[in-house]
Amino acid sequence: MKTKTQFICNQCAAVSSQWSGQCTQCGAWNAIGEESIVPVSKHSRGGHYANQRSAVTFIEDVVIDCEVRLDCGLSELNRVLGGGLVDGSVVLIGGDPGIGKSTLLIQTLANLSQQQKVLYVTGEESLQQVAMRAKRLQLPLSGLRLLAETQVEAIIEHARKEKPRIMVIDSVQTMFTDTINAAPGGVSQVREAAAQLVRFAKLTQTAIFLVGHVTKEGALAGPRVLEHMVDCVLYFEGQNDSRFRVIRAIKNRFGAVNELGVFAMTDKGLKEVANPSAIFLSRQPDPTPGSAVMVTWEGTRSMLVEVQALVDEASGPQPKRVTAGLEHNRLAILLAVLHRHGGIATFDQDVFINVVGGVKVTETGSDLALLAAVRSSLRNQVFPSDTIIFGEVGLAGEIRPVQSGQERLKEAVKHGFKRAIIPYANAPKQSLGIEVQAVKHLQEMLIL
């Protein structure tokens, strides 16, 4: 019988009957690959997805078990996961090659293996390579079991016999299932392999870590449905020239999203950074123009980070707008607001923005600090080094409040700051040990 084929986009999993250079659904170029169509057997479909039979039930009749959190041995990882690892959860970790995903997970399993049964499944490295890394990191090796396998059915069979409480699959792009006639790493293989592992986790209450590759754009490789199937999606961020690493929770069914965990890469593996604000502040003895310190809120913690701006006369007809750690489009909006409502024009200036330490700031509470740094660089005036600033700037020039204003001020006091410029609505009702300048409009901040 002649094998039928179909063409699938590896970005959005759209199916087409013929090949084309660009996907008609998501617009990605050179993303369509050919895969064979093989009927899915009943065995591959498995049993009930969440270990429950189909039945309509009133919500008050549902029995809620006591949620048990497993301590991973790393408090920063516990924070990102929402307090620890939950039985039966599936956590997807993505990041650039060499950033430390395997190092983090081998450390986590080594810590958990002292009290729990664990299994590390490697599809990219040999058992000798994994053992060499664990010994180099001087990890406790008793109880840490390894398996070199890429076939999902064989992995699940081993797991049923060994009955581990925690498993690591490194990585999901190397896994394949015999029910799909396609190369490992393809859209169909990744989707079906992940589906079988998720189903196994829910049926047996086994917690599973899945390591995922990323594309050159920084997104997780494979179909987008992969992120929908798992319970938590974590991104490992960092710069090649920096020893600091940041884990950010993009999706979490058991905790807050956008939670942040900070680590430092050493010769003994990843070490936790208990006070992230200290590494993101340069605290130069002689303050320079174009620098402002803000308090950002990530998940359930506040952090102090330094924003730097460099404003220089444009050498070409089109001024440059470059950002590192902040959203590029947000900068264009704020510069327009600064001109319209603050009377400060930058249309003939190149503007470069950088967040010290390589951390990415996604919230709008950084607006006021960004504009303060731009004005400081443009006017060559030093912004006071003992002053912190935060607040959202609206299109009408109004200063909008941000969440957790009191906690941000307390974090600034803890690090010795004496003055704060904040939105009027975030002004505290009682003294917190810091001088507060509450502003309602952008013009009020510019004259301070």
Side-chain angles (χ1 to χ4, degrees), residues 73-138:
L74 297 170
S75 60
E76 291 294 301
L77 181 58
N78 289 337
R79 171 189 290 273
V80 176
L81 291 173
L85 190 61
V86 178
D87 287 334
S89 62
V90 181
V91 181
L92 177 63
I93 299 182
D96 294 332
I99 200 169
K101 302 184 296 296
S102 299
T103 300
L104 173 70
L105 293 179
I106 195 69
Q107 286 184 239
T108 301
L109 278 201
N111 294 329
L112 289 168
S113 66
Q114 304 309 301
Q115 292 95 18
Q116 309 292 339
K117 295 186 68 174
V118 301
L119 179 62
Y120 189 100
V121 181
T122 173
E124 298 181 345
E125 300 176 289
S126 65
L127 297 181
Q128 291 78 9
Q129 288 175 306
V130 178
M132 287 173 58
R133 179 190 293 113
K135 291 180 180 179
R136 175 172 54 84
L137 300 177
Q138 298 181 1

Side-chain angles (χ1 to χ4, degrees), residues 191-222:
R191 182 175 59 240
E192 183 62 25
Q196 290 195 35
L197 290 170
V198 171
R199 188 181 301 117
F200 172 78
K202 302 303 180 183
L203 289 171
T204 61
Q205 290 297 293
T206 304
I208 297 181
F209 286 100
L210 299 179
V211 178
H213 296 170
V214 295
T215 62
K216 59 183 180 181
E217 291 82 12
L220 281 166

Side-chain angles (χ1 to χ4, degrees), residues 77 88 91 279 310 341 352 395 442:
L77 181 58
V91 181
I279 67 173
L310 175 61
H341 300 285
F352 304 90
L395 293 182
L442 178 61

Side-chain angles (χ1 to χ4, degrees), residues 108-389:
T108 301
L109 278 201
N111 294 329
L112 289 168
S113 66
Q114 304 309 301
Q115 292 95 18
Q116 309 292 339
K117 295 186 68 174
V118 301
L119 179 62
Y120 189 100
V121 181
T122 173
E124 298 181 345
E125 300 176 289
S126 65
L127 297 181
Q128 291 78 9
Q129 288 175 306
V130 178
M132 287 173 58
R133 179 190 293 113
K135 291 180 180 179
R136 175 172 54 84
L137 300 177
Q138 298 181 1
L139 299 175
L141 303 181
S142 60
L144 183 56
R145 294 177 296 175
L146 308 177
L147 172 65
E149 183 59 73
T150 56
Q151 186 188 33
V152 175
E153 288 82 4
I155 293 172
I156 293 177
E157 185 63 27
H158 282 289
R160 292 188 188 279
K161 294 179 181 178
E162 299 293 335
K163 297 181 179 180
R165 193 173 182 182
I166 306 99
M167 281 177 58
V168 167
I169 307 295
D170 188 6
S171 65
V172 68
Q173 274 79 16
T174 63
M175 300 295 134
F176 73 93
T177 171
D178 286 338
T179 61
I180 301 293
N181 186 17
V187 174
S188 300
Q189 284 285 12
V190 171
R191 182 175 59 240
E192 183 62 25
Q196 290 195 35
L197 290 170
V198 171
R199 188 181 301 117
F200 172 78
K202 302 303 180 183
L203 289 171
T204 61
Q205 290 297 293
T206 304
I208 297 181
F209 286 100
L210 299 179
V211 178
H213 296 170
V214 295
T215 62
K216 59 183 180 181
E217 291 82 12
L220 281 166
R224 194 70 178 181
V225 69
L226 179 61
E227 299 181 41
H228 291 280
M229 288 191 293
V230 300
D231 299 306
C232 303
V233 179
L234 310 181
Y235 273 86
F236 223 150
E237 304 170 359
Q239 297 179 343
N240 295 330
D241 57 349
S242 174
R243 67 189 186 97
F244 296 109
R245 303 289 188 267
V246 174
I247 298 183
R248 187 186 301 273
I250 304 300
K251 171 187 176 182
N252 193 353
R253 290 173 177 163
F254 308 108
V257 296
N258 282 331
E259 190 67 78
L260 217 62
V262 184
F263 297 86
M265 179 64 78
T266 67
D267 57 345
K268 301 302 180 183
L270 290 164
K271 302 297 182 182
E272 301 165 283
V273 177
N275 186 13
S277 298
I279 67 173
F280 296 135
L281 294 178
S282 61
R283 289 298 183 92
Q284 300 178 1
D286 298 323
T288 58
S291 176
V293 178
M294 68 176 179
V295 188
T296 182
W297 188 262
E298 298 289 348
T300 59
R301 82 183 337 165
S302 57
M303 291 193 308
L304 275 69
V305 295
E306 183 179 351
V307 181
Q308 293 179 326
L310 175 61
V311 182
D312 194 18
E313 184 178 352
S315 58
Q318 187 68 29
K320 297 179 181 178
R321 303 287 187 260
V322 181
T323 61
L326 289 167
E327 187 181 357
H328 180 270
N329 293 333
R330 191 70 185 173
L331 172 61
I333 294 174
L334 293 176
L335 292 180
V337 174
L338 183 64
H339 181 206
R340 178 66 175 82
H341 300 285
I344 299 178
T346 57
F347 55 81
D348 58 346
Q349 304 285 324
D350 292 334
V351 180
F352 304 90
I353 303 295
N354 176 53
V355 179
V356 175
V359 65
K360 294 181 180 179
V361 179
T362 58
E363 66 154 352
T364 55
S366 61
D367 293 352
L368 209 56
L370 187 151
L371 293 182
V374 169
R375 186 196 65 167
S376 173
S377 177
L378 182 63
R379 300 284 174 83
N380 199 31
Q381 296 175 348
V382 176
F383 195 80
S385 59
D386 63 347
T387 301
I388 60 102
I389 183 171

